[in-house]
Amino acid sequence: MNHVRFANSLRAAFLAGTFLTGIPFSALASPLPAAADVYSPSVSTHDVTYGSMAIDGLNIAYREAGDPKAPKLVLLMGFPASGHQYRKLIDELSNRFHVIAPDYQGFGASDAPDPADYAYTFDKLAETTKKLLAAKGFDHFGLYAQDYGGPVGFRIVTETPAKLDWLIIQNTNAYPEGFSAAWDGFRKKLWLDRSAENEKPLAAFLTHDGIKGIYLAGAAHPELISPDNWEYDSGIMARPGHVRLNLDLFYDYRKNAELYPVWEKFLHDHQPKTIIFWGQHDPFFTPEGGEAYLRDLPKAEMYRLNAGHFAAEDNAPFIAARMKAFYNKVVRAAK
């Protein structure tokens, strides 16, 4: 048997659940002995659980923790990550909130249809996320928006403002001055002319080293940032079609910039109770982009962090403690 045939046989055996033995894996598990001293773990409401749900014909993954009776909190992920980016924050928050962190289609453990047949747009990410939240009973919630979480989340709450109980902003852009020089290849080239020539330099963000750099750039304590982040994300990126779908979203991001005035008006008119955490050394979004929110939300609570794009990686306890205090002092007190 040649190597290719052998590899295919192993794969088929795994998929059939009969690796090597010819016996289904489920049949190999030993039955529990009659002795009463066998430990069986229980699942508490503070444990993170992993699930998925069929939405718009796609399997959409999410991680969830906390008492379902507790105040609901949605954590929306950014590029190039997944709900995995919130693992530290979920551990810190699950004793106070019912938390959910979805993976958008094309990210993490969610389905990723072929971009040749499926149009990846922020409108679609938001629509699918909105339906998942409704199916999970998140009819109103606090919204933590980071990076792509802003474009997705703002679409949801501007359509139905009553869903939003409070807002947590962390390095997600809604103002033109928030764009750093890293966006020049997008704003001044790709968005004006989508061509292979203009896509090529931006594909560097989708490489292993590019993804690693996004996690580490500007971090005050890079030793606290697990390599699992970029290894997991770059493993996802290496799957067929993932570079293309991310380039599709890079191009579609131009529509987010067009919506900034709409989102700014929403913030100004509705004055959601807001707390802001802004990594001051984010390679994508400038400190001025964080300060700009205060124009429309002068009562917002603002924390400037010595951090980069994924500030919750090395600031999770700080962020969580201030979120809980803000909820108790400002959000719950107003109900």
Side-chain angles (χ1 to χ4, degrees):
M1 181 181 292
N2 65 33
H3 292 303
V4 173
R5 289 176 61 195
F6 181 66
N8 288 339
S9 296
L10 288 183
R11 181 175 183 274
F14 267 117
L15 293 176
T18 59
F19 178 57
L20 295 181
T21 65
I23 303 170
F25 290 154
S26 58
L28 296 175
S30 299
L32 283 175
D37 60 350
V38 175
Y39 172 72
S40 181
S42 60
V43 179
S44 79
T45 56
H46 301 317
D47 288 324
V48 179
T49 60
Y50 303 87
S52 62
M53 185 172 286
I55 305 290
D56 291 335
L58 300 174
N59 189 55
I60 301 299
Y62 58 88
R63 58 191 69 202
E64 184 177 10
D67 187 341
K69 297 189 178 85
K72 298 192 182 301
L73 181 63
V74 176
L75 309 178
L76 292 186
M77 50 157 284
F79 167 83
S82 65
H84 178 263
Q85 77 176 75
Y86 289 120
R87 69 204 179 283
K88 291 184 178 180
L89 205 53
I90 291 173
D91 284 343
E92 298 280 348
L93 294 170
S94 62
N95 63 353
R96 183 65 183 88
F97 302 102
H98 179 202
V99 184
I100 190 169
D103 294 348
Y104 312 136
Q105 57 265 49
F107 292 82
S110 289
D111 281 351
D114 188 336
D117 305 315
Y118 183 90
Y120 283 87
T121 68
F122 284 90
D123 283 347
K124 281 195 171 183
L125 300 188
E127 185 66 20
T128 301
T129 302
K130 178 182 72 173
K131 291 178 180 178
L132 172 71
L133 295 178
K136 289 292 297 177
F138 281 68
D139 52 356
H140 63 92
F141 45 79
L143 173 65
Y144 188 113
Q146 190 270 343
D147 189 36
Y148 280 9
V152 172
F154 282 135
R155 279 170 167 81
I156 294 171
V157 299
T158 54
E159 179 183 316
T160 49
K163 291 181 182 290
L164 185 64
D165 291 339
W166 58 304
L167 182 62
I168 308 96
I169 293 292
Q170 193 253 294
N171 293 80
T172 189
N173 210 34
Y175 296 86
E177 56 264 51
F179 287 119
S180 75
W183 287 90
D184 287 354
F186 299 81
R187 302 171 71 199
K188 298 177 182 180
K189 293 185 177 180
L190 180 70
W191 295 354
L192 302 178
D193 174 24
R194 186 175 189 183
S195 64
E197 180 183 358
N198 288 335
E199 283 184 342
K200 185 176 180 179
L202 303 181
F205 290 120
L206 308 177
T207 64
H208 176 277
D209 288 348
I211 292 169
K212 178 179 178 180
I214 293 168
Y215 277 96
L216 296 180
H221 292 285
E223 70 275 14
L224 295 179
I225 301 179
S226 171
D228 293 348
N229 288 298
W230 55 84
E231 296 300 337
Y232 178 69
D233 292 349
S234 60
I236 298 291
M237 195 67 69
R239 295 176 179 175
H242 277 70
V243 167
R244 171 52 50 195
L245 74 85
N246 276 277
L247 289 171
D248 289 349
L249 287 170
F250 282 179
Y251 182 61
D252 193 63
Y253 200 100
R254 74 196 191 283
K255 296 179 182 176
N256 297 332
E258 293 168 1
L259 287 171
Y260 284 180
V262 176
W263 300 342
E264 292 162 17
K265 186 176 188 304
F266 168 81
L267 296 173
H268 183 271
D269 291 350
H270 289 272
Q271 291 297 304
K273 297 170 179 61
T274 303
I275 183 169
I276 303 169
F277 301 96
W278 202 268
Q280 298 293 287
H281 312 299
D282 188 333
F284 293 118
F285 301 126
T286 66
E288 291 79 10
E291 302 298 324
Y293 281 95
L294 298 177
R295 291 203 301 265
D296 292 306
L297 298 169
K299 295 181 181 179
E301 199 167 291
M302 177 87 173
Y303 293 95
R304 300 161 184 88
L305 307 177
N306 184 12
H309 189 63
F310 289 111
E313 283 295 322
D314 50 354
N315 289 267
F318 180 92
I319 292 172
R322 277 142 192 85
M323 284 176 63
K324 291 175 185 177
F326 182 84
Y327 182 85
N328 291 336
K329 178 181 69 176
V330 178
V331 183
R332 186 178 66 177
K335 289 189 176 181

PDB file of all heavy atoms in Angstrom, residues 237-253:
ATOM      1  N   MET A 237      -6.584  29.623   8.991  1.00  0.00           N
ATOM      2  CA  MET A 237      -6.320  30.371   7.764  1.00  0.00           C
ATOM      3  C   MET A 237      -5.751  29.486   6.670  1.00  0.00           C
ATOM      4  O   MET A 237      -5.929  29.775   5.475  1.00  0.00           O
ATOM      5  CB  MET A 237      -5.349  31.521   8.069  1.00  0.00           C
ATOM      6  CG  MET A 237      -5.267  32.575   6.991  1.00  0.00           C
ATOM      7  SD  MET A 237      -6.812  33.526   6.814  1.00  0.00           S
ATOM      8  CE  MET A 237      -6.803  34.445   8.362  1.00  0.00           C
ATOM      9  N   ALA A 238      -5.072  28.411   7.046  1.00  0.00           N
ATOM     10  CA  ALA A 238      -4.452  27.527   6.053  1.00  0.00           C
ATOM     11  C   ALA A 238      -5.455  26.619   5.362  1.00  0.00           C
ATOM     12  O   ALA A 238      -5.112  25.945   4.383  1.00  0.00           O
ATOM     13  CB  ALA A 238      -3.367  26.680   6.729  1.00  0.00           C
ATOM     14  N   ARG A 239      -6.684  26.588   5.819  1.00  0.00           N
ATOM     15  CA  ARG A 239      -7.687  25.734   5.185  1.00  0.00           C
ATOM     16  C   ARG A 239      -8.093  26.303   3.831  1.00  0.00           C
ATOM     17  O   ARG A 239      -8.010  27.520   3.599  1.00  0.00           O
ATOM     18  CB  ARG A 239      -8.918  25.614   6.094  1.00  0.00           C
ATOM     19  CG  ARG A 239      -8.640  24.903   7.409  1.00  0.00           C
ATOM     20  CD  ARG A 239      -9.866  24.909   8.305  1.00  0.00           C
ATOM     21  NE  ARG A 239      -9.613  24.218   9.564  1.00  0.00           N
ATOM     22  CZ  ARG A 239     -10.482  24.162  10.569  1.00  0.00           C
ATOM     23  NH1 ARG A 239     -11.664  24.762  10.458  1.00  0.00           N
ATOM     24  NH2 ARG A 239     -10.167  23.523  11.684  1.00  0.00           N
ATOM     25  N   PRO A 240      -8.542  25.447   2.929  1.00  0.00           N
ATOM     26  CA  PRO A 240      -8.919  25.924   1.590  1.00  0.00           C
ATOM     27  C   PRO A 240      -9.972  27.028   1.646  1.00  0.00           C
ATOM     28  O   PRO A 240     -10.955  26.933   2.380  1.00  0.00           O
ATOM     29  CB  PRO A 240      -9.483  24.665   0.919  1.00  0.00           C
ATOM     30  CG  PRO A 240      -8.826  23.528   1.628  1.00  0.00           C
ATOM     31  CD  PRO A 240      -8.662  23.981   3.053  1.00  0.00           C
ATOM     32  N   GLY A 241      -9.738  28.074   0.899  1.00  0.00           N
ATOM     33  CA  GLY A 241     -10.715  29.153   0.769  1.00  0.00           C
ATOM     34  C   GLY A 241     -10.615  30.242   1.801  1.00  0.00           C
ATOM     35  O   GLY A 241     -11.230  31.315   1.635  1.00  0.00           O
ATOM     36  N   HIS A 242      -9.848  30.036   2.873  1.00  0.00           N
ATOM     37  CA  HIS A 242      -9.869  31.012   3.963  1.00  0.00           C
ATOM     38  C   HIS A 242      -9.119  32.302   3.630  1.00  0.00           C
ATOM     39  O   HIS A 242      -9.547  33.378   4.061  1.00  0.00           O
ATOM     40  CB  HIS A 242      -9.328  30.384   5.248  1.00  0.00           C
ATOM     41  CG  HIS A 242     -10.363  29.602   5.987  1.00  0.00           C
ATOM     42  ND1 HIS A 242     -10.862  28.402   5.521  1.00  0.00           N
ATOM     43  CD2 HIS A 242     -11.032  29.867   7.147  1.00  0.00           C
ATOM     44  CE1 HIS A 242     -11.773  27.957   6.365  1.00  0.00           C
ATOM     45  NE2 HIS A 242     -11.903  28.812   7.348  1.00  0.00           N
ATOM     46  N   VAL A 243      -8.042  32.216   2.894  1.00  0.00           N
ATOM     47  CA  VAL A 243      -7.383  33.450   2.471  1.00  0.00           C
ATOM     48  C   VAL A 243      -8.330  34.258   1.594  1.00  0.00           C
ATOM     49  O   VAL A 243      -8.498  35.475   1.773  1.00  0.00           O
ATOM     50  CB  VAL A 243      -6.061  33.142   1.744  1.00  0.00           C
ATOM     51  CG1 VAL A 243      -5.535  34.395   1.031  1.00  0.00           C
ATOM     52  CG2 VAL A 243      -5.024  32.623   2.740  1.00  0.00           C
ATOM     53  N   ARG A 244      -8.994  33.598   0.666  1.00  0.00           N
ATOM     54  CA  ARG A 244      -9.918  34.299  -0.226  1.00  0.00           C
ATOM     55  C   ARG A 244     -11.076  34.936   0.538  1.00  0.00           C
ATOM     56  O   ARG A 244     -11.417  36.092   0.306  1.00  0.00           O
ATOM     57  CB  ARG A 244     -10.435  33.321  -1.284  1.00  0.00           C
ATOM     58  CG  ARG A 244     -11.574  33.839  -2.159  1.00  0.00           C
ATOM     59  CD  ARG A 244     -11.287  35.190  -2.799  1.00  0.00           C
ATOM     60  NE  ARG A 244     -10.001  35.219  -3.465  1.00  0.00           N
ATOM     61  CZ  ARG A 244      -9.391  36.331  -3.842  1.00  0.00           C
ATOM     62  NH1 ARG A 244      -9.948  37.507  -3.589  1.00  0.00           N
ATOM     63  NH2 ARG A 244      -8.210  36.284  -4.441  1.00  0.00           N
ATOM     64  N   LEU A 245     -11.676  34.234   1.483  1.00  0.00           N
ATOM     65  CA  LEU A 245     -12.826  34.805   2.185  1.00  0.00           C
ATOM     66  C   LEU A 245     -12.392  35.994   3.036  1.00  0.00           C
ATOM     67  O   LEU A 245     -13.157  36.958   3.194  1.00  0.00           O
ATOM     68  CB  LEU A 245     -13.558  33.744   3.017  1.00  0.00           C
ATOM     69  CG  LEU A 245     -12.967  33.215   4.331  1.00  0.00           C
ATOM     70  CD1 LEU A 245     -13.302  34.097   5.516  1.00  0.00           C
ATOM     71  CD2 LEU A 245     -13.481  31.793   4.588  1.00  0.00           C
ATOM     72  N   ASN A 246     -11.172  35.950   3.560  1.00  0.00           N
ATOM     73  CA  ASN A 246     -10.700  37.095   4.339  1.00  0.00           C
ATOM     74  C   ASN A 246     -10.379  38.282   3.447  1.00  0.00           C
ATOM     75  O   ASN A 246     -10.615  39.435   3.829  1.00  0.00           O
ATOM     76  CB  ASN A 246      -9.488  36.697   5.175  1.00  0.00           C
ATOM     77  CG  ASN A 246      -9.891  36.034   6.478  1.00  0.00           C
ATOM     78  OD1 ASN A 246     -10.199  36.714   7.460  1.00  0.00           O
ATOM     79  ND2 ASN A 246      -9.918  34.719   6.496  1.00  0.00           N
ATOM     80  N   LEU A 247      -9.854  38.021   2.257  1.00  0.00           N
ATOM     81  CA  LEU A 247      -9.651  39.114   1.313  1.00  0.00           C
ATOM     82  C   LEU A 247     -10.991  39.714   0.875  1.00  0.00           C
ATOM     83  O   LEU A 247     -11.110  40.929   0.669  1.00  0.00           O
ATOM     84  CB  LEU A 247      -8.862  38.619   0.103  1.00  0.00           C
ATOM     85  CG  LEU A 247      -7.380  38.314   0.356  1.00  0.00           C
ATOM     86  CD1 LEU A 247      -6.767  37.620  -0.861  1.00  0.00           C
ATOM     87  CD2 LEU A 247      -6.601  39.583   0.692  1.00  0.00           C
ATOM     88  N   ASP A 248     -12.012  38.866   0.745  1.00  0.00           N
ATOM     89  CA  ASP A 248     -13.350  39.373   0.436  1.00  0.00           C
ATOM     90  C   ASP A 248     -13.831  40.331   1.523  1.00  0.00           C
ATOM     91  O   ASP A 248     -14.422  41.389   1.236  1.00  0.00           O
ATOM     92  CB  ASP A 248     -14.343  38.218   0.286  1.00  0.00           C
ATOM     93  CG  ASP A 248     -14.129  37.397  -0.979  1.00  0.00           C
ATOM     94  OD1 ASP A 248     -13.344  37.833  -1.851  1.00  0.00           O
ATOM     95  OD2 ASP A 248     -14.743  36.325  -1.097  1.00  0.00           O
ATOM     96  N   LEU A 249     -13.592  39.961   2.786  1.00  0.00           N
ATOM     97  CA  LEU A 249     -14.010  40.826   3.890  1.00  0.00           C
ATOM     98  C   LEU A 249     -13.159  42.094   3.965  1.00  0.00           C
ATOM     99  O   LEU A 249     -13.670  43.166   4.321  1.00  0.00           O
ATOM    100  CB  LEU A 249     -13.961  40.060   5.214  1.00  0.00           C
ATOM    101  CG  LEU A 249     -15.067  39.033   5.394  1.00  0.00           C
ATOM    102  CD1 LEU A 249     -14.795  38.161   6.616  1.00  0.00           C
ATOM    103  CD2 LEU A 249     -16.441  39.708   5.539  1.00  0.00           C
ATOM    104  N   PHE A 250     -11.867  41.979   3.623  1.00  0.00           N
ATOM    105  CA  PHE A 250     -11.041  43.187   3.561  1.00  0.00           C
ATOM    106  C   PHE A 250     -11.650  44.195   2.590  1.00  0.00           C
ATOM    107  O   PHE A 250     -11.692  45.399   2.865  1.00  0.00           O
ATOM    108  CB  PHE A 250      -9.629  42.835   3.069  1.00  0.00           C
ATOM    109  CG  PHE A 250      -8.725  42.204   4.104  1.00  0.00           C
ATOM    110  CD1 PHE A 250      -7.432  41.835   3.746  1.00  0.00           C
ATOM    111  CD2 PHE A 250      -9.140  41.984   5.406  1.00  0.00           C
ATOM    112  CE1 PHE A 250      -6.581  41.256   4.673  1.00  0.00           C
ATOM    113  CE2 PHE A 250      -8.289  41.400   6.348  1.00  0.00           C
ATOM    114  CZ  PHE A 250      -7.010  41.041   5.972  1.00  0.00           C
ATOM    115  N   TYR A 251     -12.102  43.702   1.451  1.00  0.00           N
ATOM    116  CA  TYR A 251     -12.697  44.601   0.452  1.00  0.00           C
ATOM    117  C   TYR A 251     -14.044  45.131   0.925  1.00  0.00           C
ATOM    118  O   TYR A 251     -14.359  46.316   0.769  1.00  0.00           O
ATOM    119  CB  TYR A 251     -12.838  43.866  -0.882  1.00  0.00           C
ATOM    120  CG  TYR A 251     -13.406  44.724  -1.987  1.00  0.00           C
ATOM    121  CD1 TYR A 251     -12.744  45.866  -2.406  1.00  0.00           C
ATOM    122  CD2 TYR A 251     -14.611  44.378  -2.607  1.00  0.00           C
ATOM    123  CE1 TYR A 251     -13.264  46.664  -3.425  1.00  0.00           C
ATOM    124  CE2 TYR A 251     -15.129  45.166  -3.629  1.00  0.00           C
ATOM    125  CZ  TYR A 251     -14.452  46.309  -4.029  1.00  0.00           C
ATOM    126  OH  TYR A 251     -14.973  47.091  -5.027  1.00  0.00           O
ATOM    127  N   ASP A 252     -14.837  44.263   1.555  1.00  0.00           N
ATOM    128  CA  ASP A 252     -16.153  44.682   2.016  1.00  0.00           C
ATOM    129  C   ASP A 252     -16.074  45.669   3.178  1.00  0.00           C
ATOM    130  O   ASP A 252     -17.039  46.408   3.417  1.00  0.00           O
ATOM    131  CB  ASP A 252     -16.973  43.454   2.441  1.00  0.00           C
ATOM    132  CG  ASP A 252     -18.443  43.771   2.644  1.00  0.00           C
ATOM    133  OD1 ASP A 252     -19.109  44.160   1.647  1.00  0.00           O
ATOM    134  OD2 ASP A 252     -18.924  43.659   3.786  1.00  0.00           O
ATOM    135  N   TYR A 253     -14.942  45.724   3.846  1.00  0.00           N
ATOM    136  CA  TYR A 253     -14.813  46.632   4.995  1.00  0.00           C
ATOM    137  C   TYR A 253     -15.045  48.093   4.595  1.00  0.00           C
ATOM    138  O   TYR A 253     -15.405  48.923   5.425  1.00  0.00           O
ATOM    139  CB  TYR A 253     -13.427  46.481   5.635  1.00  0.00           C
ATOM    140  CG  TYR A 253     -13.357  46.984   7.059  1.00  0.00           C
ATOM    141  CD1 TYR A 253     -13.429  46.105   8.132  1.00  0.00           C
ATOM    142  CD2 TYR A 253     -13.218  48.341   7.342  1.00  0.00           C
ATOM    143  CE1 TYR A 253     -13.372  46.552   9.439  1.00  0.00           C
ATOM    144  CE2 TYR A 253     -13.163  48.801   8.641  1.00  0.00           C
ATOM    145  CZ  TYR A 253     -13.246  47.908   9.691  1.00  0.00           C
ATOM    146  OH  TYR A 253     -13.198  48.367  10.989  1.00  0.00           O
TER     147      TYR A 253
END
